[in-house]
Amino acid sequence: MAETTNIPGTGHHGEGETRRDFLVLTASALGAVGAASVVWPFIDSMNPAADTLANSSTEVDLTPVAVGQSITVVWQGKPVFIRHRTEKEIKEAGDVNVAELRDPQTDAQRVKKTEWLIVIGICTHLGCIPLGQKPSDPRGEYDGWFCPCHGSQYDSSGRIRKGPAPLNLALPPYEFKTDTSIKIG
Amino acid sequence: MIRRFLLGAAFAVTAAVTLPVAAPVAHAQEAAAEPELLKGDWSFSGIFGTIDKASAQRGLQIYKEVCSNCHGLYEMSYRNIAALGYSEEQVKNFAAQYQVPDLNDDGAVVQRPAKPSDKFVRPFPNEKAARAANNGAYPPDLALIEKSREGGADYVYSLLQGYKTPPADVKLSDGQYYNIYFTAGGQKIGMPQPLTDGAVTFADGAPNDLKSEAHDIATFLAWAAEPEQDRRKEMGVKVMLFLIVLTGALYYAKRKIWANVH
Amino acid sequence: MTAHPSQGPVSQNKLVRWIDHRLPVFTMLKSELEEYPTPRNLNYFWNFGSLAGVVLVIMIASGIFLAMNYTPNADLAFSSVERIVRDVNYGWLLRYIHMNGASMFFIVVYIHIFRGLYYGSYKAPRELLWMLGVVILLLMMATAFMGYVLPWGQMSFWGATVITNLFSAIPKVGNYIVTLLWGGFAVDNPTLNRFFALHYLLPFVICAVVALHLVALHQHGSNNPLGIDKKGPQDWIPFHPYYTVKDAFGLSVFLLFYCFLIFFDPNFFGSPDNYIPANPLSTPASIEPEWYFLPFYAILRSLPDKLAGVLAMFGAIAVLFVLPWLDTSPVRSGKFRPKFRIFFWLLLIDAVILGVVGAHKPEGWWVLIGRLATAWYFFHFIIVLPILGKLERPLPLPTSIAQAVLKGGAATVAAGARMEKP
C-alpha cells in the first residue's frame, strides 16, 4: 500500500470513509458528554457547602420574650427583629390607612400570629440596622424603628412611614413549630 | 514490529513496576516486626462494597458509650450521622445530649445543648489537658484514625482484640498495657482495653461479643474517615464504564483514520 | 515554523476571517495544530508530551477550585482540607483529582523524559527544547514539594523541615538562607503562607516555559523513533486528524488509569502519616517524600557529607541540562545503537533501584546499594555517554522514514552512514 498523499479523504465518501466519519462522530459526541459532565462538579463545588447549608435555618424559643420586649437573632448572617407586640402596637398597626403607605401592605399580611412581629432588621434604604430593639432606643413617631443613618422611620408592623427607604422591612420565611417556638429559614 | 512492541511493553512495565514498588516498600520497614493483622470481612471493601449502615450505627453507639470519654471525633459534625440512616429528629435528639459553649447576651460563656450543625464535642479542651488526664499519652482523634494508620479498618479491628498477657520478659510501667498490634509503641500501649464481650448492649439484640463490637466500631470509623466513599465508588463505576466505551470508540476511530498510512 | 503555507483562506466563515485578519489565532491554530507536519512513524511513546499538557491543565483547574476553599494558616489548613473533602460539593473529587494528578504528572513526565533519552530527542538541533524541558521538571518539583506542605499533615511539616534544612549546608550564608526561607526559626505559619503563594504562582510559570518548549519543538518538528530527519513529503503526515485522534485515544487510556485511582484507591500513592495533623514536637517514625522524589532523596542521602549530598542531588538534574553535549554520538536513536541500548536499560533499572533505596532507611545494605546506584547514575552520563559516542559502531540507518516504514525497513545505506547535521 504505497500511499503517498497524506491529506485525509475529502470529496467522495466511500463505505470505509462513512464508517470512519461515524466513528469520529461517536467518539467526539462521547468526548463532549464526558467533558460536560466533568465541568458540573467544578461549578457545583462553588454552591453553598454542607456546613453552610446546615446554618441556613435558625430555631428560636420565644418563651423568654415578654410582652413589649424585642430580641435580635442572627439568621444567615443577617439580624432578625422579633418583637412581642403590645395591644397598643397591634391596634396601631391595624388602624393604618394602607392606601397611604409607600409600600402598601396590611398588618395581617405581615404576621402569622398578631402578637409576634418577625422582620429582617436591615433598613431597605442602604442597609443600616435600625434602632428600636432596646427600650432606651429612639423608635420614631410610629412606635416602630428609627434608622439613624438617613432618618427612615418604620411603624409597629415594620412598614416604612417616613424617610428615604422605599420598602417595608423584609419578612424572612418562618413557621411556628409550637405556640412558643419558631424556625426561621 | 514484535521488537517494537516488546520494547514498549518493557518500558511500560518498568514504569508500572516503579510505582507499586515504591509505595508499599516505603512502609515495609515496619512490616518485619509486625504480627499480621486480623482481617475483618468488610462490607465496604472492593469496588462495589458499601458501608453496612446498621453496623455503623452500632459503632456510633460504641463510640458514644465507650470511646468518646477520651477520644474526639473532631472533623465530624452531628448532622453527618444522618447519612447512617437517622431521621432529622433523631439527629437533633442525639446532638442535644451534648453541651457546647456559647455566648449569652452579656458576652459571658454559657453551655447550651448542641445542634446538628455543631461539631462533635471533644472530651478534652486541648492536647495538653488530654495528656494530663491520660498519663502523658494523647488519645488520638478518631475521625481520621483509619486513614492515618497502615491497615486501616483491619488495624483498628485487630488492635481492639490485640490485648494479651505480656510475655515474661516484657516489663510494663504504670499505665502501660500489652497489645501485640501496637508496633508504633513497641507493643506497649497507653490505652487500657476499651472493649470486652458484652461491654455495650444493642437495642436490636445484635451480637455484642468483642469481635462483633470491634467489627462495628471499625465499620463506623471507616465511614467517619471517608463518609463519601459509597458515592465515590458508585460514581467511579459509571465513570469507568463510560471511559471504556469512549476508549473503544477512539481506538476504532484511530484505526480507521490511520488505515491509509500503515 | 515549518508548516507548509496553507492553500487559500483560513476559513469560509466571515467572523473567523475578521478576527484572524486582526489577530491570527486561527491561522496559527491551522498551521501548528492541523497542517503541522509530523513524522508518520511516531509510536505511542510520543503521546506523553500532550498527556503532560493535559495533566497540567487539570492540575491548574482543580487547584484553583481547591484554593477557593483552602485556608493557608497553620491552625486552620488541615481542617480546611477536611472540610473540602467532607462538606464542599464534590470537594472530595477535586481533592483526589489534584492529589493523584500530581503523581500522574510525574509518571507521564518521567516516561516522556526516558523516551527522549532513548531516541536522542535531546540532540541537535533540539538542545534548547531539551533544556527547557529540564527547567519544566525543576519547576514541577518545586511546585509539588510546596503543594505537599499545604495540607499541613505530619509528612507535610516534617518533609518541609528536612528539605529546607538542606540549604543550611551552603557555606557561610546557609543558615541565613534557611531563616529567610522559613520566615522564622522553624517551619511554621509564615512558611506555609509563602509556600501557598508560590504554589499558586509557579504553575503559571510552568505554562510560560511550556509555551517556549512548544515553540522550540515546532521549529524543527518532532524527533521520531528512527532518529533520522525528514527527507520529503512522504515522510510526514499532517498533525490533524492523525495525531489528534491518536492523542485522544492515548488520553482516554490514561484517564482509565487515572480515574481508577481517583475513585477506587485515592490514597494509593500517599502516606498515611499525612492524615495526622502536623506536630512540631513529634517526629514520625520515617520521614519520606512522595514517591516521585525518592530517587533524588536516595542520591541526597548517599553521601555522608551534607553539602556533598545536596550538590549531588542538584547535580543529578544538572547533568541532564548538559546531556546534549555529553552524548557524543552522531546517531540519534537508540534503535541503531546496540551498545547504547544496554546502558539505557541499565540507567532505567538504576533509577528504579534509587527509588527503592529512597524508600528505605539508610541502614545496612541499603547504604552501599544507594552509593553504588548514585555512582552509576553519574558514571552513565559523565563517562559512558561521551566515550560510547566515539567508540560505538552504530547499525546502518535507513535512507528515509518512508522507506523504513513502508518497505518494512529493508532499505538501508551502507554501514558508516551518519545522520545529516543541520
Side-chain angles (χ1 to χ4, degrees):
Chain A
M1 235 200 277
E3 175 65 53
T4 50
T5 61
N6 306 300
I7 294 119
T10 48
H12 47 265
H13 284 255
E15 155 73 31
E17 310 218 331
T18 324
R19 197 180 305 140
R20 179 180 77 194
D21 289 342
F22 168 74
L23 280 171
V24 167
L25 193 64
T26 315
S28 312
L30 281 174
V33 164
S37 35
V38 163
V39 168
W40 171 244
F42 281 77
I43 296 179
D44 197 29
S45 77
M46 289 173 67
N47 272 324
D51 59 346
T52 312
L53 289 174
N55 285 320
S56 64
S57 67
T58 307
E59 292 190 12
V60 187
D61 178 20
L62 300 174
T63 21
V65 188
V67 178
Q69 207 188 345
S70 286
I71 61 167
T72 309
V73 297
V74 176
W75 171 69
Q76 290 191 353
K78 301 182 267 261
V80 174
F81 296 157
I82 301 178
R83 178 170 286 174
H84 195 168
R85 300 196 292 186
T86 60
E87 282 298 327
K88 175 166 174 276
E89 287 166 348
I90 296 171
K91 186 164 185 311
E92 279 173 351
D95 282 347
V96 169
N97 182 354
V98 176
E100 288 173 354
L101 290 174
R102 183 176 305 164
D103 180 13
Q105 270 186 315
T106 64
D107 187 53
Q109 287 173 309
R110 292 175 59 76
V111 294
K112 291 200 165 130
K113 286 185 199 268
T114 53
E115 68 269 31
W116 293 105
L117 178 70
I118 298 162
V119 291
I120 295 182
I122 297 177
C123 183
T124 57
H125 180 227
L126 289 173
C128 296
I129 300 180
L131 301 171
Q133 288 293 89
K134 295 210 282 286
S136 52
D137 278 349
R139 294 176 63 176
E141 298 161 24
Y142 300 90
D143 237 359
W145 288 269
F146 173 77
C147 186
C149 292
H150 307 98
S152 296
Q153 297 186 27
Y154 299 87
D155 66 13
S156 56
S157 185
R159 294 174 295 204
I160 183 65
R161 303 298 291 275
K162 208 177 192 181
L167 298 170
N168 303 333
L169 291 177
L171 300 166
Y174 69 92
E175 50 182 22
F176 277 87
K177 292 264 129 183
T178 67
D179 276 345
T180 51
S181 75
I182 55 170
K183 176 173 161 179
I184 310 177
Chain B
M1 193 61 198
I2 284 291
R3 283 186 58 225
R4 249 178 275 166
F5 168 75
L6 283 178
L7 168 70
F11 219 53
V13 161
T14 314
V17 157
T18 320
L19 322 168
V21 160
V25 157
H27 307 297
Q29 304 171 58
E30 280 86 50
E34 206 171 83
E36 218 187 289
L37 293 175
L38 302 171
K39 302 263 179 282
D41 187 20
W42 305 113
S43 66
F44 48 86
S45 59
I47 295 174
F48 298 102
T50 54
I51 292 277
D52 176 350
K53 295 203 170 92
S55 176
Q57 287 197 5
R58 293 194 293 271
L60 173 62
Q61 185 184 342
I62 296 172
Y63 169 76
K64 172 168 175 270
E65 293 180 15
V66 181
C67 322
S68 61
N69 293 306
C70 299
H71 290 279
L73 202 64
Y74 185 60
E75 305 296 345
M76 299 235 93
S77 306
Y78 292 111
R79 60 182 160 84
N80 291 135
I81 66 172
L84 292 180
Y86 294 107
S87 70
E88 207 183 310
E89 272 312 297
Q90 286 173 311
V91 174
K92 252 199 256 173
N93 292 335
F94 184 87
Q97 295 169 71
Y98 298 91
Q99 297 282 314
V100 292
D102 202 353
L103 293 178
N104 66 10
D105 284 335
D106 299 322
V109 177
V110 294
Q111 298 287 327
R112 63 156 173 82
K115 298 188 284 216
S117 56
D118 287 316
K119 290 214 155 142
F120 267 73
V121 171
R122 281 150 115 160
F124 302 103
N126 51 62
E127 189 183 322
K128 277 192 180 165
R131 284 187 187 273
N134 288 286
N135 269 315
Y138 175 62
D141 190 277
L142 293 181
L144 286 168
I145 195 80
E146 292 197 3
K147 264 201 205 174
S148 62
R149 302 287 187 274
E150 282 296 329
D154 287 333
Y155 174 75
V156 169
Y157 181 63
S158 307
L159 188 82
L160 292 170
Q161 300 176 74
Y163 286 87
K164 310 278 178 225
T165 330
D169 57 343
V170 172
K171 295 281 167 283
L172 295 170
S173 13
D174 238 2
Q176 281 187 333
Y177 307 86
Y178 183 72
N179 187 307
I180 56 171
Y181 297 106
F182 192 64
T183 44
Q187 291 167 333
K188 295 181 188 162
I189 191 171
M191 170 171 76
Q193 179 163 355
L195 293 176
T196 49
D197 292 329
V200 177
T201 320
F202 300 114
D204 62 356
N208 60 351
D209 55 301
L210 175 60
K211 189 155 172 236
S212 304
E213 289 169 344
H215 196 268
D216 288 336
I217 186 72
T219 300
F220 170 71
L221 291 176
W223 169 79
E226 295 179 293
E228 88 288 345
Q229 61 179 278
D230 285 355
R231 186 142 175 261
R232 168 166 51 83
K233 288 192 212 175
E234 193 194 359
M235 205 183 285
V237 170
K238 292 189 199 148
V239 167
M240 295 304 288
L241 285 173
F242 172 81
L243 282 176
I244 288 170
V245 170
L246 179 67
T247 307
L250 282 170
Y251 177 68
Y252 283 109
K254 184 258 173 193
R255 286 291 295 257
K256 263 283 155 199
I257 289 179
W258 278 77
N260 62 345
V261 173
H262 290 311
Chain C
M1 311 291 171
T2 49
H4 280 202
S6 28
Q7 317 296 336
V10 68
S11 163
Q12 303 295 353
N13 184 310
K14 279 212 178 99
L15 177 62
V16 166
R17 285 211 301 271
W18 187 93
I19 297 175
D20 199 65
H21 183 60
R22 290 153 179 73
L23 181 68
V25 237
F26 295 100
T27 303
M28 198 187 84
L29 286 174
K30 195 164 178 205
S31 84
E32 302 309 313
L33 223 48
E34 199 184 315
E35 297 161 346
Y36 174 63
T38 322
R40 66 190 302 148
N41 62 331
L42 299 184
N43 60 32
Y44 277 100
F45 284 110
W46 263 260
N47 275 46
F48 287 86
S50 68
L51 277 182
V54 168
V55 176
L56 176 62
V57 170
I58 291 174
M59 292 301 279
I60 291 179
S62 58
I64 290 175
F65 281 84
L66 284 172
M68 292 184 186
N69 289 289
Y70 171 76
T71 306
N73 176 289
D75 297 327
L76 302 169
F78 189 88
S79 285
S80 77
V81 173
E82 280 303 308
R83 177 181 170 268
I84 288 172
V85 174
R86 291 164 188 271
D87 282 331
V88 172
N89 298 332
Y90 294 102
W92 55 268
L93 182 60
L94 289 174
R95 202 256 172 123
Y96 288 142
I97 286 177
H98 201 71
M99 203 163 102
N100 288 289
S103 286
M104 300 313 299
F105 207 177
F106 279 95
I107 293 176
V108 163
V109 164
Y110 282 157
I111 295 177
H112 184 69
I113 292 174
F114 274 95
R115 182 280 312 265
L117 289 175
Y118 185 85
Y119 292 107
S121 306
Y122 50 83
K123 288 173 157 305
R126 298 184 179 86
E127 300 95 323
L128 279 188
L129 171 64
W130 171 263
M131 289 166 79
L132 285 168
V134 180
V135 169
I136 294 172
L137 176 66
L138 273 174
L139 288 171
M140 274 175 64
M141 291 168 74
T143 309
F145 165 68
M146 291 189 292
Y148 194 64
V149 177
L150 302 183
W152 210 241
Q154 274 287 68
M155 274 314 166
S156 305
F157 178 87
W158 289 101
T161 302
V162 166
I163 298 302
T164 47
N165 262 315
L166 287 181
F167 289 88
S168 64
I170 301 172
K172 290 207 170 52
V173 290
N175 285 317
Y176 178 77
I177 290 182
V178 175
T179 309
L180 184 70
L181 279 177
W182 284 341
F185 308 106
V187 169
D188 202 347
N189 193 47
T191 325
L192 176 60
N193 248 298
R194 64 192 53 180
F195 277 9
F196 178 62
L198 292 173
H199 181 75
Y200 206 128
L201 169 71
L202 283 186
F204 297 103
V205 176
I206 291 177
C207 283
V209 182
V210 165
L212 292 177
H213 191 68
L214 292 175
V215 170
L217 172 69
H218 280 224
Q219 196 57 19
H220 294 280
S222 292
N223 187 17
N224 67 83
L226 297 175
I228 56 182
D229 288 330
K230 306 199 278 273
K231 301 281 189 317
Q234 69 278 15
D235 287 343
W236 56 262
I237 45 180
F239 191 81
H240 177 72
Y242 297 98
Y243 287 107
T244 40
V245 75
K246 194 172 180 187
D247 278 350
F249 169 64
L251 174 61
S252 201
V253 173
F254 166 78
L255 287 176
L256 274 170
F257 185 40
Y258 186 22
C259 288
F260 186 86
L261 283 172
I262 291 171
F263 290 97
F264 300 116
D265 202 355
N267 292 297
F268 173 78
F269 284 113
S271 166
D273 274 338
N274 224 30
Y275 281 106
I276 302 172
N279 185 349
L281 300 175
S282 161
T283 313
S286 71
I287 303 174
E288 62 210 18
E290 286 280 87
W291 69 269
Y292 38 81
F293 287 140
L294 289 174
F296 300 99
Y297 200 50
I299 294 175
L300 173 73
R301 294 190 300 186
S302 63
L303 296 173
D305 178 58
K306 192 157 138 186
L307 180 61
V310 173
L311 289 175
M313 188 176 75
F314 286 111
I317 314 261
V319 291
L320 289 178
F321 261 113
V322 295
L323 173 62
W325 293 276
L326 291 173
D327 183 359
T328 53
S329 168
V331 174
R332 270 198 203 117
S333 170
K335 205 166 153 51
F336 302 102
R337 302 178 60 189
K339 300 263 185 323
F340 167 82
R341 276 212 295 278
I342 300 172
F343 284 100
F344 171 84
W345 289 113
L346 287 176
L347 179 71
L348 183 56
I349 293 169
D350 184 64
V352 174
I353 290 175
L354 280 171
V356 175
V357 168
H360 284 84
K361 283 200 163 90
E363 295 165 338
W365 279 108
W366 294 112
V367 178
L368 181 63
I369 297 174
R371 289 191 180 154
L372 288 174
T374 304
W376 181 265
Y377 178 89
F378 287 102
F379 179 71
H380 172 94
F381 285 101
I382 301 177
I383 310 286
V384 171
L385 288 186
I387 296 180
L388 198 57
K390 295 268 184 264
L391 296 183
E392 182 183 33
R393 206 159 57 97
L395 298 175
L397 297 172
T399 39
S400 74
I401 295 174
Q403 290 277 355
V405 166
L406 300 175
K407 298 247 158 78
T412 61
V413 295
R418 293 282 184 260
M419 156 197 99
E420 292 162 29
K421 290 226 189 287

